[in-house]
Amino acid sequence: MSKTIIISNRLPVQLEIHNNSIISTPSVGGLATGMKSVHESGDSLWLGWSGIPTEDLKKGDDVLIKNELKKHKCVAVDLNNNEIDGFYFGFSNRTIWPLFHYFTEYTEFEHSTYEIYKQVNQKFADKIIENLNDGDTVWIHDYQLLLVPQMIKEVKPDVTIGFFLHIPFPSYEIFRTLPWREELLEGILGSDVIGFHTYDYERHFLSAVQRILGYDAEFNVIKNNGRGILVDSFPMGIDYDKFHEAAKKNSKQKRSEESEVQFEINKHLNADNNAKLILSIDRLDYTKGIANRLKAFEYFLDNYPEYHHKVRLVMLAVPSRSNVPQYKLLKNEIDQLVGRINGRFSEVSWTPIWYFYRSMPFENLIDLYTSSDVALITPIRDGMNLVAKEYIATRTDKTGVLILSEMAGAAKEMPEALIINPNNFEQIANSLHEALSMPIEEQITRNTSLQKRLKNYNVTKWASLFNEALQNVFNVVEKSTVLPLDANAEANLIDKFKKAKQRILFLDYDGTLAAFEKIPKNAKPSPALKERLMRLYNLPNTKLVLITGRDRETFNEWFGDSPFTLITEHGAWLKEPEADWELLEPLSDEWFTSIQPVLESYADSTPGSIVELKRYSLAWHFRNVDPVLGNRRAKDLKATLQQLIANNNLEILEGDKVIEIKTSGVNKGKSACKMLLNENYDFILSMGDDWTDEFMFRELPEHTHTIKVGKKETVAKHFIKGTKEVVGILEKLTM
Ligand code: GDG
């Protein structure tokens, strides 16, 4: 039976070994809490790090761990201390975490930790592949594992892979600062469905993919490798009933059953008729805005003295990543702020802040949620923030006010809360006043809508919508039918080549034999390339055709003295070795006068674009233009040209970041087929990267070995990554 494999950095249980016996406790944190109900209810296997470094394991511990994890349907990925430092405390938490939360000043760009991050991601990928059966679905979670989707897809192209990011995806301007931006994006794009909490994160991701990798996106589908990748927002919900029912149970508790926390809370609430409790719960993290919150609370106490003695802020800060320097600094800052505020305002019978630096059992969490009149949640940036949702779920009598930062993903779904800017002390203080004096009826009205939404769109719904998208993704997007030229296919190609009696090779130039250059003239063939082509040419019974969209003059300069067959301007010109250039089609340039000014005006108004004048065609190149602007202008230009070329026997060719206008009927396919007329080739190879090469792939005989270079849609039979791989194949043909 097929299963879902869930993968996250940490498992949903934390393990500790004491005196040869193992203790497991549930993990705290948004991801673990959210996915737990999915894991428990379905047929699934959860892979992640056990929490114990391999150095701490004694002989036999691995078996103990394995057996314990088996009970929880989990499998451990073993990590040693060096890996934990580099991968988790290093690249994950000192590079990605701060950068994705817009804390650029905390972001470290450290090559060595990235290398370990890569190795550990590979370890996760290997473990997944080891546990994978046909028909299984893979669901990878969060920023620690950005490279894993691609690592799996490369080995198992047929597996359906989902990826969900629990933290924000930053804007392109922030993301582009990462030295490893291309690799990380490619890593995520190994997935078939990519999910974010909000539409903002989704559009930032789409923008980064288009601008950094140059891949096209149609609405929320990215075209990559001839396959579609669905990108969507799936705001994560909570296990509403669990929190609601726990709160109900809590309200029916007898005094004797009360916890110590509840006892202390009640003491405060009973001390004054108007006593109120404000709650703050987070991991101790600089993204959560804890310092700002404290300062805003101090500002509130200064400006609203009538609340002295009556109001208390209960602040639970759960220890987190204390190995990372910024977290240590933050801990000191919070300690000092709490000390200062309590020092300033405390009286014998009243301390304004109750501060807990630890985690609490679930029951105490419920005590806090149910006893607090206000929840004050003010992150500077937060992917979602489940605490905001949990607080509302526990308000069984529908009272209570949520003050929520607009920077939390949750704010998008909770407009009935008092939404604040976490950097605006005054606004936070005024909202506290508004919350504490809000009429009960208004609280009930707001919370009724909130609860309805949270109950309906709970974590099960979230997971099932994501899963549905994953199961149906190939009804929405295209599954790649093009195969990579893997070792078997390559061996077959070489074998056919060696055994053939008459061979012909059609090789495109830019993007196939030579990498793209910012200035097209700079893509001149290197002596090494020329030598390699000569070796091919010198093989017996082998015809070598270089086929390009470039103009005749440039190719004549580069290859005029080489003995290869040259076809330029998409098939307008032909030069056989030792012969003169010959025009393959009757062409004219009379139409330039009406079209060239239009292209020039687009080049003027679109920074980075240029017009290329060929002998019988005109091209507008926009490779160096911002991709979004470039695509928009290209669309406009095409529409304008379509009106101008009507009745002119011209056609518009859309290449890779180029729009070309030329006499219709001239294309690489037609001219390549002409080369076959008088010979009987039993081996034909055609390689190209561009849309214009598709004419060759389509029109050459069925037995042609067609290879697309790069990750685009194609009718070719195989694809390879890039020019380096092209060189590799050519080398092997001459060996
Ligand atoms: C990441 C993103 C996103 C907290 N203290 C205790 C405790 N908790 C539980 C809460 C809640 C969870 O931990 C915290 O969830 P958050 O969403 O607030 O935050 P992160 O852990 O930073 O999670 C975040 C989330 O992923 C999900 O996608 O919302 O934006 O940063 O469930 O109840 N639980 C117990 N004791 C505690 O002391 N038992």
Side-chain angles (χ1 to χ4, degrees):
M1 198 169 124
S2 58
K3 61 182 179 300
T4 300
I5 305 188
I6 302 168
I7 305 101
S8 62
N9 171 45
R10 296 299 292 270
L11 288 169
V13 282
Q14 305 271 318
L15 301 183
E16 272 178 86
I17 299 179
H18 284 299
N19 304 330
N20 292 335
S21 70
I22 205 152
I23 304 166
S24 68
T25 44
S27 298
V28 177
L31 193 163
T33 323
M35 285 302 291
K36 215 171 129 196
S37 40
V38 180
H39 182 50
E40 279 166 3
S41 60
D43 187 9
S44 69
L45 184 69
W46 194 320
L47 263 74
W49 178 49
S50 67
I52 309 175
T54 45
E55 285 89 343
D56 294 359
L57 296 178
K58 293 192 303 299
K59 204 168 164 230
D61 283 353
D62 52 343
V63 181
L64 274 182
I65 292 180
K66 202 171 166 187
N67 291 342
E68 178 64 25
L69 288 181
K70 209 170 172 187
K71 289 188 216 156
H72 300 274
K73 298 194 288 175
C74 292
V75 170
V77 177
D78 296 326
L79 299 182
N80 61 36
N81 279 320
N82 183 45
E83 288 169 331
I84 297 158
D85 276 353
F87 153 75
Y88 182 67
F89 291 111
F91 196 74
S92 298
N93 286 327
R94 291 197 201 186
T95 305
I96 305 184
W97 178 270
L99 190 75
F100 281 35
H101 287 88
Y102 294 72
F103 281 78
T104 48
E105 70 279 25
Y106 288 176
T107 309
E108 294 174 16
F109 299 122
E110 184 62 52
H111 193 73
S112 60
T113 58
Y114 179 62
E115 284 305 314
I116 301 177
Y117 180 85
K118 250 193 325 199
Q119 284 164 24
V120 171
N121 270 238
Q122 190 62 58
K123 232 179 181 181
F124 273 85
D126 293 345
K127 196 52 133 193
I128 296 164
I129 293 165
E130 198 183 305
N131 284 280
L132 199 62
N133 294 322
D134 283 351
D136 287 353
T137 305
V138 171
W139 188 357
I140 302 162
H141 289 267
D142 230 2
Y143 65 104
Q144 301 92 349
L145 304 174
L146 299 179
L147 298 172
V148 175
Q150 181 65 17
M151 287 170 168
I152 301 174
K153 203 55 150 198
E154 254 168 30
V155 185
K156 299 269 181 191
D158 286 334
V159 178
T160 311
I161 304 174
F163 177 81
F164 191 85
L165 187 71
H166 290 260
I167 65 174
F169 193 91
S171 92
Y172 158 73
E173 288 298 343
I174 295 284
F175 184 78
R176 72 194 292 213
T177 61
L178 261 177
W180 310 276
R181 58 205 179 175
E182 287 90 356
E183 290 173 56
L184 291 169
L185 285 179
E186 291 282 12
I188 304 172
L189 290 178
S191 322
D192 299 295
V193 176
I194 301 170
F196 298 95
H197 281 306
T198 72
Y199 173 64
D200 281 340
Y201 310 154
E202 174 191 332
R203 72 184 170 82
H204 290 156
F205 177 74
L206 286 168
S207 158
V209 167
Q210 290 177 82
R211 289 185 157 82
I212 292 169
L213 299 179
Y215 297 161
D216 287 329
E218 251 168 52
F219 301 104
N220 59 339
V221 175
I222 296 171
K223 305 276 182 174
N224 177 25
N225 222 351
R227 68 187 181 97
I229 299 160
L230 185 74
V231 183
D232 213 339
S233 50
F234 302 87
M236 187 172 176
I238 55 161
D239 187 344
Y240 182 90
D241 290 341
K242 177 176 142 190
F243 284 90
H244 198 73
E245 292 312 314
K248 267 192 191 159
K249 200 171 141 211
N250 180 288
S251 66
K252 290 181 193 138
Q253 244 169 14
K254 295 195 199 93
R255 283 203 79 157
S256 58
E257 293 165 349
E258 274 172 8
S259 68
E260 207 184 315
V261 172
Q262 187 68 60
F263 180 78
E264 289 300 326
I265 291 172
N266 289 348
K267 230 163 74 181
H268 164 76
L269 292 176
N270 296 334
D272 188 302
N273 261 353
N274 289 318
K276 304 265 181 183
L277 219 54
I278 302 168
L279 178 66
S280 136
I281 298 185
D282 337 68
R283 271 185 312 100
L284 190 83
D285 196 295
Y286 48 80
T287 60
K288 302 284 183 183
I290 304 171
N292 277 11
R293 190 178 314 159
L294 285 169
K295 289 177 194 161
F297 185 60
E298 184 177 27
Y299 185 90
F300 167 78
L301 293 177
D302 273 326
N303 286 277
Y304 295 94
E306 65 271 29
Y307 286 105
H308 291 195
H309 298 280
K310 299 186 174 64
V311 162
R312 177 167 275 157
L313 174 66
V314 183
M315 199 172 83
L316 175 62
V318 180
S320 175
R321 303 172 199 169
S322 41
N323 283 15
V324 178
Q326 278 93 18
Y327 289 76
K328 285 186 193 149
L329 289 173
L330 178 70
K331 166 80 173 47
N332 286 343
E333 187 188 1
I334 302 300
D335 287 354
Q336 280 177 21
L337 273 170
V338 172
R340 185 179 86 198
I341 299 168
N342 276 345
R344 272 192 67 199
F345 297 97
S346 287
E347 286 173 24
V348 181
S349 58
W350 177 61
T351 337
I353 305 172
W354 269 352
Y355 171 37
F356 302 93
Y357 176 62
R358 57 181 159 99
S359 72
M360 286 193 180
F362 179 73
E363 293 67 34
N364 290 152
L365 206 67
I366 300 295
D367 291 337
L368 291 176
Y369 281 148
T370 49
S371 310
S372 300
D373 303 279
V374 178
L376 182 60
I377 298 173
T378 61
I380 310 285
R381 290 276 166 187
D382 209 340
M384 171 55 74
N385 196 301
L386 301 178
V387 171
K389 295 185 171 181
E390 292 167 7
Y391 172 70
I392 294 296
T394 60
R395 308 303 302 174
T396 47
D397 64 358
K398 295 188 168 50
T399 62
V401 183
L402 171 65
I403 300 178
L404 180 61
S405 162
E406 65 184 58
M407 307 296 175
K412 298 263 183 265
E413 296 163 81
M414 307 182 87
E416 295 85 354
L418 298 182
I419 304 292
I420 51 93
N421 175 340
N423 302 306
N424 188 340
F425 299 157
E426 201 175 14
Q427 190 194 21
I428 298 176
N430 292 342
S431 298
L432 272 176
H433 172 63
E434 188 184 343
L436 292 166
S437 52
M438 187 181 281
I440 295 288
E441 302 72 45
E442 186 179 343
Q443 296 179 26
I444 292 174
T445 310
R446 287 173 186 255
N447 290 339
T448 304
S449 321
L450 282 170
Q451 287 190 345
K452 195 169 159 212
R453 203 170 307 127
L454 293 179
K455 186 172 165 57
N456 186 25
Y457 192 88
N458 60 12
V459 71
T460 316
K461 189 76 172 268
W462 166 77
S464 69
L465 286 179
F466 188 90
N467 244 328
E468 240 168 64
L470 207 51
Q471 303 307 333
N472 295 329
V473 61
F474 300 117
N475 300 332
V476 182
V477 305
E478 247 172 275
K479 192 169 187 170
S480 174
T481 49
V482 197
L483 301 171
L485 190 77
D486 59 14
N488 276 343
E490 191 186 274
N492 177 42
L493 177 85
I494 294 167
D495 185 53
K496 290 251 171 67
F497 180 80
K498 300 244 150 113
K499 288 185 179 147
K501 294 194 182 72
Q502 280 297 334
R503 319 182 269 216
I504 187 164
L505 286 77
F506 294 97
L507 305 178
D508 165 54
Y509 187 74
D510 293 276
T512 303
L513 288 175
F516 284 109
E517 292 285 344
K518 281 220 159 11
I519 302 166
K521 282 270 176 205
N522 291 351
K524 205 175 157 171
S526 64
L529 173 63
K530 279 191 156 181
E531 195 202 307
R532 197 163 289 125
L533 293 173
M534 270 313 285
R535 263 190 276 141
L536 265 179
Y537 170 81
N538 283 332
L539 292 173
N541 307 322
T542 307
K543 189 174 173 88
L544 181 61
V545 185
L546 304 190
I547 186 161
T548 180
R550 279 195 181 252
D551 64 273
R552 179 177 63 132
E553 287 71 23
T554 308
F555 244 49
N556 200 42
E557 190 189 318
W558 290 352
F559 294 108
D561 57 354
S562 306
F564 320 132
T565 301
L566 308 176
I567 296 178
T568 63
E569 296 191 33
H570 303 291
W573 293 97
L574 165 72
K575 185 184 179 308
E576 289 287 11
E578 314 275 319
D580 279 337
W581 285 95
E582 158 193 0
L583 197 56
L584 283 177
E585 303 281 342
L587 299 173
S588 113
D589 59 4
E590 278 165 19
W591 51 272
F592 276 28
T593 46
S594 59
I595 304 287
Q596 194 180 339
V598 179
L599 298 191
E600 299 287 0
S601 86
Y602 270 77
D604 289 343
S605 62
T606 315
S609 72
I610 50 166
V611 176
E612 187 188 3
L613 260 79
K614 301 186 188 179
R615 184 62 191 88
Y616 290 112
S617 68
L618 291 172
W620 180 72
H621 293 270
F622 59 102
R623 177 165 304 281
N624 299 328
V625 179
D626 173 286
V628 178
L629 175 66
N631 286 339
R632 205 178 75 206
R633 287 280 156 81
K635 224 183 223 171
D636 281 358
L637 174 61
K638 215 177 124 194
T640 311
L641 289 172
Q642 245 140 14
Q643 290 169 7
L644 288 173
I645 64 165
N647 311 323
N648 258 337
N649 193 29
L650 295 174
E651 68 181 2
I652 302 168
L653 261 191
E654 277 185 276
D656 187 358
K657 305 287 173 196
V658 56
I659 286 193
E660 185 153 355
I661 303 96
K662 58 177 201 47
T663 306
S664 59
V666 179
N667 66 52
K668 286 184 178 180
K670 205 168 159 192
S671 53
C673 287
K674 276 190 186 157
M675 296 290 100
L676 307 180
L677 286 179
N678 302 320
E679 291 287 347
N680 196 8
Y681 293 105
D682 54 349
F683 179 92
I684 309 173
L685 170 67
S686 162
M687 286 210 260
D689 71 302
D690 200 327
W691 195 81
T692 61
D693 297 309
E694 297 293 315
F695 285 108
M696 280 201 285
F697 301 153
R698 219 171 277 135
E699 291 180 32
L700 282 166
E702 179 50 37
H703 70 279
T704 303
H705 298 271
T706 48
I707 302 178
K708 179 84 168 180
V709 184
K711 308 183 163 188
K712 285 156 227 143
E713 274 182 80
T714 183
V715 294
K717 290 170 191 152
H718 291 101
F719 74 85
I720 52 173
K721 261 189 179 166
T723 51
K724 253 197 227 151
E725 285 71 18
V726 173
V727 168
I729 289 173
L730 297 185
E731 287 276 285
K732 286 179 188 160
L733 293 182
T734 50
M735 274 195 312

